[in-house]
Structures are given as C-alpha cells and as structure tokens.
Amino acid sequence: MTLTLTKKIHKAKVYNIEKVSVSSYLIETDLGFPVDILPGQFISIYCDGLTLRRPFSVFSNSKNIIGILFKERGKGTNYIKSLRKGDFIDIAGPFGNGFDIKESKSLLVGAGIGIAPMSFLKNTLDKMNIENMLISGFLNKSEIPSCVNLDKIYTDDGSIGEKGSVLNYLGQIIQDYNPEIIYACGPSVVLKTVADIGKTFDIKTQIAMEKVMACGIGVCRGCVINIMKDGKVANATVCKDGPVFDGSEVIWL
C-alpha cells in the first residue's frame, strides 16, 4: 500500500547526504513507507530555529526514499547541509500540482537547480517508455550535479557541452527534435522564453515555477501570480494552484 503525505508532519531519517557539485547537495530521506509523489510537486522541511518551513522540489522518489537537490542559500539550507546520515528530519507534503504527463514526444528544459524536478520527470518518462530529451544550462562544468543524467548540456563559459545559454539554442533544438510537448523548470527568464517559443511553434508547454513560498498551502497568498483563465485575468498561488502551470496561461511581468 502506498501512502500520500499530507500537511501533517512526518519524521524521516537521513539516508544519505552528499555534495554533488561545487554549489549543490543531495539529501535522501527514508520515511519508512512509500509515498505517491508526482514530478513537479514539492515538500516542505522544518529547519531547526526557523519559523517557516522551506519548500523543495522533489528530485527523486523510490520506495521509501525521497531525494532533494538543493543549493546552500541561507539559514534553512545551511541547516539541512549540516545534517548527517542517521539524523531525523521533519517533512510535510507533497504539495501542489505536478506535471500532467502526456504520452507524447517530450523535450525537458532545466536551468540551475531547476534541474531537480526535470530529472525526476525524465526518470518517470523513461519508466513509461515515453520518448524524451533532457537539456539543461549551467554557469560552468563545476555547477553540474553529478547525480543527473543529461542528454544535452550548455554552459555559459563553454567548459562542457555547447557554449552559451540553453535559450540561445532552444529554437534550433525544437526544429531538430520536433517535440510534441515541452516541460521546463528554472528561473523566470527561462520559463518565459520556453512559454513564448512554445506559442511560436504551437507546442504545449508546462512550466514548474520557482517562487518564495511561506505557508505552502495557498493561505498566506505570498506567492500569487496572474494567469489567464477562461479569457480573464485571475490570481493563482504557485504553491497550491502550481507549481506547474500551462505556460500559455501565465502573465509575465
């Protein structure tokens, strides 16, 4: 029997934690029971001494083990980085809506730490025998997590793969690969470009948005964005209505 986490707190044991690039870490936690999680959904972790939990996209989910890929950016991630195998950690989730997976030839676009849910999605598509290609952009070779499998790599300094932003190559990739759907996660400039180019090529896009989230359940309204719904502008919370949205519906500021 597979359980689904709720906002109730669950105590998990740290199964593994390691540095996987010059700036990112992978922590794997053992809940003691299997959990249903869709690629694109996130969990919230309680960090000792902080009032608000910290949200993280799920990188992997296998049997009892949930993996989170993160960068050290503040007190919360510094606390998580300090954990060791055997320590316990408080987890809530999964929250939000994951990708609506289609049995269609898929192009996956990740940038920076946005590679986390895209890697999870790629592994899911592979298991479903759905043709896919994962491309991602990083500042340089040292920023690429050793735990991800990429089909094409782009680096700003050309230290590995093609030189330049992945966005500079996106149009040509679409013409060469001819995907039927595009999934993406990364900074807003990446997501906006993916959504725009999807419209240009008449390809459906699903984007997982990155946003600072406080409550994680849509109550505090701190992560509201504007979307087009039924021809009208509407408010949507990234944590509850997202994080995954139809790229053509998002109103970019």
Side-chain angles (χ1 to χ4, degrees):
M1 176 175 159
T2 302
L3 303 178
T4 299
L5 288 175
T6 67
K7 63 182 179 181
K8 178 181 176 182
I9 296 171
H10 296 263
K11 190 160 286 189
K13 182 182 288 188
V14 176
Y15 175 78
N16 178 57
I17 184 165
E18 60 181 308
K19 191 171 186 178
V20 292
S21 81
V22 70
S23 62
S24 61
Y25 298 80
L26 172 66
I27 183 170
E28 295 175 298
T29 63
D30 186 350
L31 285 166
F33 54 86
V35 179
D36 281 327
I37 302 177
L38 293 173
Q41 288 187 299
F42 67 95
I43 62 171
S44 290
I45 296 176
Y46 172 74
C47 301
D48 192 32
L50 299 179
T51 302
L52 299 175
R53 290 174 172 272
R54 296 300 191 261
F56 297 92
S57 295
V58 176
F59 169 73
S60 60
N61 181 38
S62 178
K63 298 181 180 179
N64 302 346
I65 310 297
I66 296 176
I68 301 297
L69 187 65
F70 68 95
K71 286 190 174 185
E72 184 183 357
R73 289 177 171 166
K75 292 181 179 179
T77 48
N78 184 60
Y79 164 76
I80 296 172
K81 188 192 77 170
S82 73
L83 296 170
R84 295 295 178 262
K85 185 175 181 178
D87 288 344
F88 284 91
I89 187 169
D90 287 340
I91 291 176
F95 296 114
N97 298 297
F99 291 104
D100 181 14
I101 296 175
K102 306 295 185 183
E103 292 189 11
S104 305
K105 187 177 183 181
S106 306
L107 177 64
L108 284 58
V109 183
I113 205 65
I115 193 61
M118 305 317 299
S119 184
F120 186 12
L121 177 60
K122 178 175 178 59
N123 290 336
T124 302
L125 295 177
D126 286 344
K127 290 176 182 177
M128 298 173 67
N129 294 317
I130 296 175
E131 184 178 354
N132 67 87
M133 180 169 68
L134 173 58
I135 64 175
S136 190
F138 298 89
L139 291 175
N140 52 59
K141 181 179 179 179
S142 67
E143 292 283 352
I144 303 173
S146 59
C147 54
V148 301
N149 294 314
L150 302 167
D151 295 307
K152 287 184 179 293
I153 302 172
Y154 303 86
T155 51
D156 288 0
D157 66 356
S159 51
I160 189 172
E162 299 283 351
K163 183 177 182 178
S165 169
V166 63
L167 301 181
N168 297 337
Y169 296 88
L170 195 52
Q172 189 60 54
I173 291 168
I174 290 173
Q175 292 183 63
D176 293 342
Y177 185 64
N178 195 29
E180 298 169 295
I181 188 168
I182 305 173
Y183 304 93
C185 184
S188 58
V189 63
V190 173
L191 302 184
K192 181 181 185 303
T193 301
V194 168
D196 289 345
I197 206 164
K199 291 179 182 177
T200 300
F201 285 92
D202 194 25
I203 301 172
K204 281 285 188 180
T205 58
Q206 292 186 34
I207 58 172
M209 301 196 69
E210 298 178 338
K211 195 84 169 177
V212 175
M213 293 180 275
C215 71
I217 55 175
V219 175
C220 73
R221 310 292 289 175
C223 60
V224 170
I225 63 170
N226 291 328
I227 63 171
M228 289 297 297
K229 205 69 176 176
D230 300 322
K232 298 180 180 179
V233 177
N235 290 334
T237 55
V238 172
C239 66
K240 186 177 180 181
D241 301 311
V244 177
F245 293 92
D246 181 330
S248 67
E249 293 182 348
V250 176
I251 298 175
W252 303 95
L253 299 178

